[in-house]
Amino acid sequence: MAFRSEILIKLDKKGRVLLPAAFRDELPADDRGAFVLYHSPTIPGLVNGNSRAGFDAMLDRLRAEALGPKGSLKVALDDEAFDPAGYLSAGARTVSLEPDGRFTMPAEFVQALEATDGVMLVGKVEKFQLWNPARWQARRDAEREKMAAFVRGLSGGDA
């Protein structure tokens, strides 16, 4: 699974958007009827998306890394303990796909994106992201500079 590309997708009057075939094809074959959208834990106004299996695997990794095997039981029993996986899961929504690939964007994500008539769909390998187009362009410009600095810092291997 590898989500790739940047695609501007239109938001219709009913709040529906089309998940392009290139992205639908990256969903696991037995899990193509729906996917998960969730708010970015670090960037306000950014919505992440993943297959249901990919989202669940991410939650498992997060719980294992953040809490460890002993901490998991404490979180299950202590309602005041911070559970990062639970935090992400609480704001996540499973979104059904129509046969043509359209889906209705939940209102809280439309609001977070400040989407008026479209959103930028961005592939990020193991997940995809939905951005406000203007915010994505600013982020893209900043990432281009970071990528150039990264490439300049690579060793040539000609030692």
Side-chain angles (χ1 to χ4, degrees):
M1 175 171 69
F3 295 103
R4 301 173 189 87
S5 195
E6 301 171 351
I7 304 168
L8 181 62
I9 53 177
K10 297 294 180 187
L11 183 67
D12 72 14
K13 292 177 182 167
K14 295 179 183 178
R16 294 181 310 164
V17 295
L18 176 68
L19 188 65
F23 281 71
R24 290 191 312 268
D25 291 347
E26 292 304 323
L27 296 171
D30 60 345
D31 197 20
R32 289 200 176 143
F35 60 93
V36 177
L37 291 177
Y38 59 100
H39 294 279
S40 166
T42 57
I43 301 175
L46 171 61
V47 176
N48 290 312
N50 205 332
S51 69
R52 290 179 287 190
F55 182 75
D56 290 345
M58 180 192 64
L59 293 180
D60 289 344
R61 289 191 317 269
L62 179 60
R63 180 163 274 149
E65 183 161 326
L67 305 173
K70 292 182 181 178
S72 297
L73 180 59
K74 178 170 177 45
V75 168
L77 298 175
D78 182 356
D79 291 330
E80 293 197 41
F82 178 65
D83 175 7
Y87 173 84
L88 283 181
S89 186
R93 301 290 177 263
T94 299
V95 178
S96 297
L97 280 171
E98 296 173 12
D100 67 353
R102 292 195 187 283
F103 65 93
T104 300
M105 178 89 73
E108 69 259 32
F109 296 123
V110 173
Q111 184 178 6
L113 291 165
E114 298 175 354
T116 54
D117 60 348
V119 297
M120 187 63 75
L121 179 64
V122 179
K124 291 287 189 170
V125 186
E126 75 282 348
K127 66 182 177 184
F128 58 89
Q129 296 179 325
L130 297 168
W131 286 82
N132 172 291
R135 280 188 282 207
W136 169 247
Q137 189 57 53
R139 176 67 176 226
R140 183 78 166 117
D141 292 345
E143 286 188 346
R144 184 175 296 113
E145 292 173 20
K146 289 178 184 177
M147 185 64 179
F150 174 78
V151 170
R152 283 190 300 272
L154 291 174
S155 64
D158 297 323

